[in-house]
Amino acid sequence: QVQLTESGGRAVQTGGSLRLSCAVDGRTFGSYALGWFRQVPGKEREFLCAIGLFAGTSHCTDSLEGRFIITRNDAENTLLLQMNKLKPEDTALYYCSAGLGAARTFSARYWGQGTQVTVSS
């Protein structure tokens, strides 16, 4: 059974930083590429970043302008998302996902429950 559990979401002020974590079960961590998405009410889920099965390749959407960094901790089966220079428009429910493809062609198959990030001005 695929298990993805996000944590780290909280309220933060504009310009601040936050690091999200996703605990992944061992079998999934060793078999799938991983990614981060976010969603606000009334809008489609938005792709943010993905990292390949082998951590040498990662990709974040250009619209983030380099503010977010995705990494995977192989020793702890954990996916991380470092978010810097946060803006109010970054407010959303953030999801961890496991899926197929490379970092630039990531296709999500499994989802966590999400963690809420709120950025206040």
Side-chain angles (χ1 to χ4, degrees):
Q1 182 179 357
V2 175
Q3 294 184 342
L4 302 164
T5 307
E6 302 94 336
S7 63
R10 62 176 176 86
V12 64
Q13 291 188 334
T14 297
S17 297
L18 200 58
R19 189 177 75 169
L20 303 183
S21 297
C22 178
V24 185
D25 71 276
R27 182 174 181 177
T28 300
F29 195 86
S31 302
Y32 291 94
L34 301 171
W36 286 99
F37 291 70
R38 68 186 179 190
Q39 189 171 23
V40 298
K43 293 189 176 181
E44 292 187 355
R45 198 166 293 187
E46 175 190 14
F47 168 80
L48 298 176
C49 302
I51 189 164
L53 178 59
F54 304 102
T57 58
S58 64
H59 169 67
C60 291
T61 186
D62 291 344
S63 63
L64 294 175
E65 301 175 319
R67 297 184 297 118
F68 292 9
I69 301 169
I70 185 172
T71 56
R72 53 192 295 162
N73 184 326
D74 292 345
E76 298 182 357
N77 291 351
T78 302
L79 179 69
L80 302 171
L81 184 68
Q82 177 67 40
M83 305 188 294
N84 302 314
K85 299 180 181 178
L86 286 163
K87 306 174 182 180
E89 49 264 44
D90 294 318
T91 296
L93 189 60
Y94 283 70
Y95 293 93
C96 169
S97 65
L100 304 178
R104 288 186 174 272
T105 60
F106 181 75
S107 177
R109 290 290 182 269
Y110 305 99
W111 300 93
Q113 294 300 308
T115 185
Q116 178 67 38
V117 173
T118 302
V119 184
S120 60
S121 57

